[in-house]
Amino acid sequence: MERPLRIVIAGGGTGGHLFPGIAVAEEIKRRDMLSEVIFVGTEYGIEASVIPREGYPLKFLRAEGVVGKSVVRKIKGTAKMVFSLLDSYRLLRSLRPDVVVGTGGYASFSPVLAGRLMSLPTVVMEQNAVPGLANTLLGKIADAVCVTYHESISYFPVNKTFITGNPIRDGVLSGTKEKAYDLFGLGKDKFTILVLGGSSGARKINNAVCEGFSHLTMVKAKIQFLHQTGKADYEAIRETYRKWGFSGTVTAFIHRMPEAYAVADLVISRAGSSTLAELMAIGKASILIPYPYAANNHQEFNARKLSGMNAARMILDRDVNGEGLAKNIMELYSDNNVRLELQKACSALGKPDAAQKVVDIVMSLVRAKKVRRTELKAARNRTGKEN
């Protein structure tokens, strides 16, 4: 009896690299519950806390990033890469997966490279318009590359690069407003602004929102906020809301994002790849404030693409302040037509079936590998009979 399909998904560090991998895992399990999905990452990335909660096995590597690090950290990271490659080889030899999928970041480099050296089918997923170092290198040797944006194609071999979109988790599309009102204690008759700064919050965004209160007093009774602050700023931001008397819910972290998206009339956010994929899949009007220190400035590239297609508003981090942010909020609150145009353009860019497309490619590589194995076995048998 043939064993179930076994897939290794490598990557993490940030939600932008991890959550698309989870979306792919969900689609694989949806097609065949007997399939085995094993995640590979590091003890220091977000995967260490998220993957166990999702119920998937997680294996750790000795790996560390080198991009944007000091000389000493670069040397240390490069040395760890050797150990990471050994770890990956031993792990893959033990697991004997049918395919290795890399979701980007330093934690994906060694497993995909080891998989390629072991003649395993390999797939690389690129979420950003400008690929990072790991994916730029891996894309040259992997069997297939799945990209989100057309602009990424030029960085990879054209004959094996596919525009699939960035996979999003099934649950993102399942939130309802009614459930959100109860879950977050929000009023049903108010314009709701969702403020996100990533899983750790964003001080620049937090401060700009609070500075904007003095310019929003005329609509204070008609709007409300659902504000994810991050742990560091939680107490200070909550106190500022109390001081100004703006209503809503302030929380260090939002665990139920489907409901948060469902209830939002407007989203203020960084421009991470996973967040943008989710916004596009559900079609939300947004004000994007890209993180200026993201690798290769990819958040600004992502945000500019949406802004240039009238699918979002963009304010650069260096330019954001309370007055300017409040002005944008007022325009989008007051003009329903402008907001609807943003929603339509954003939704048109969405690819809610991205996970399905990626898994189609993964499965095609697995089938091709099985065909080659069968043909090789048949050829050996023929040779044996002839001798």
Side-chain angles (χ1 to χ4, degrees):
M1 182 177 178
E2 191 172 306
R3 69 168 173 81
L5 183 70
R6 184 174 296 155
I7 295 175
V8 164
I9 299 179
T14 65
H17 289 311
L18 179 64
F19 293 131
I22 294 176
V24 167
E26 289 176 345
E27 175 63 16
I28 290 168
K29 298 294 282 186
R30 187 189 67 78
R31 296 187 186 193
D32 182 2
M33 284 299 296
L34 296 178
S35 296
E36 300 175 24
V37 181
I38 301 98
F39 280 80
V40 177
T42 72
E43 296 179 80
Y44 312 105
I46 190 175
E47 60 272 20
S49 60
V50 172
I51 292 302
R53 193 166 65 240
E54 294 288 332
Y56 297 102
L58 173 62
K59 305 294 184 180
F60 293 123
L61 300 175
R62 291 171 287 180
E64 188 173 318
V66 297
V67 177
K69 305 295 183 180
S70 66
V71 174
V72 174
R73 293 292 294 274
K74 284 182 185 291
I75 295 172
K76 183 180 177 182
T78 302
K80 272 194 173 183
M81 194 66 69
V82 177
F83 293 108
S84 178
L85 189 57
L86 290 173
D87 291 343
S88 299
Y89 175 76
R90 290 167 182 160
L91 179 63
L92 295 181
R93 188 174 62 177
S94 170
L95 293 174
R96 295 188 300 116
D98 296 287
V99 62
V100 180
V101 179
T103 64
Y106 60 87
S108 71
F109 184 79
S110 293
V112 175
L113 176 57
R116 191 70 185 88
L117 293 174
M118 296 170 69
S119 298
L120 295 171
T122 52
V123 178
V124 168
M125 294 165 55
E126 177 53 57
Q127 301 86 19
N128 299 301
V130 180
L133 177 61
N135 272 1
T136 299
L137 296 174
L138 291 174
K140 300 180 187 305
I141 62 171
D143 293 296
V145 182
C146 301
V147 301
T148 300
Y149 299 111
H150 188 274
E151 290 84 348
S152 305
I153 294 178
S154 61
Y155 293 89
F156 302 111
V158 177
N159 63 324
K160 60 180 181 180
T161 303
F162 306 88
I163 301 177
T164 60
N166 193 11
I168 61 168
R169 294 162 290 171
D170 287 339
V172 169
L173 304 173
S174 66
T176 64
K177 277 192 173 184
E178 290 303 317
K179 188 174 181 180
Y181 290 134
D182 293 334
L183 184 64
F184 299 117
L186 298 170
K188 296 183 179 182
D189 58 344
K190 293 186 177 183
F191 184 87
T192 304
I193 302 166
L194 172 62
V195 183
L196 303 170
S199 57
S200 300
R203 180 157 295 171
K204 197 71 175 285
I205 293 177
N206 290 340
N207 290 342
V209 169
C210 291
E211 290 168 5
F213 287 162
S214 63
H215 304 280
L216 295 170
T217 54
M218 69 291 293
V219 294
K220 182 162 65 172
K222 299 177 181 179
I223 67 174
Q224 62 187 348
F225 291 82
L226 175 54
H227 191 147
Q228 177 178 279
T229 64
K231 289 182 179 180
D233 289 350
Y234 171 65
E235 292 294 344
I237 299 302
R238 186 175 65 165
E239 184 57 36
T240 305
Y241 271 84
R242 286 174 179 166
K243 173 185 173 182
W244 283 95
F246 278 85
S247 62
T249 296
V250 179
T251 179
F253 185 78
I254 298 173
H255 291 280
R256 291 297 306 167
M257 283 307 301
E259 285 73 27
Y261 282 135
V263 79
D265 296 296
L266 174 64
V267 180
I268 300 172
S269 174
R270 289 301 195 191
S273 55
S274 287
T275 298
L276 296 192
E278 291 167 355
L279 291 175
M280 289 186 289
I282 56 182
K284 287 291 176 178
S286 63
I287 300 171
L288 302 176
I289 305 169
Y291 180 58
Y293 305 110
N296 299 313
N297 201 24
H298 68 259
Q299 286 206 12
E300 183 176 333
F301 278 94
N302 294 345
R304 282 194 183 280
K305 179 174 177 62
L306 267 67
S307 175
M309 301 182 74
N310 195 38
R313 293 278 181 93
M314 182 186 73
I315 306 175
L316 293 179
D317 189 84
R318 64 173 178 265
D319 298 329
V320 69
N321 56 57
E323 183 178 1
L325 184 58
K327 180 182 178 182
N328 276 274
I329 291 173
M330 283 298 299
E331 288 177 1
L332 294 172
Y333 163 74
S334 303
D335 196 327
N336 190 52
N337 290 329
V338 172
R339 196 171 69 254
L340 286 176
E341 285 301 316
L342 286 179
Q343 291 174 1
K344 289 178 182 178
C346 186
S347 181
L349 295 173
K351 293 184 173 63
D353 61 346
Q356 298 170 29
K357 292 179 179 178
V358 171
V359 174
D360 284 344
I361 292 167
V362 169
M363 294 304 185
S364 70
L365 291 175
V366 172
R367 287 193 295 269
K369 177 74 173 180
K370 288 182 179 180
V371 169
R372 288 196 298 272
R373 190 184 299 132
T374 300
E375 291 175 345
L376 181 60
K377 185 177 180 180
R380 287 174 177 169
N381 288 338
R382 286 195 301 271
T383 303
K385 290 179 180 179
E386 290 171 0
N387 292 336

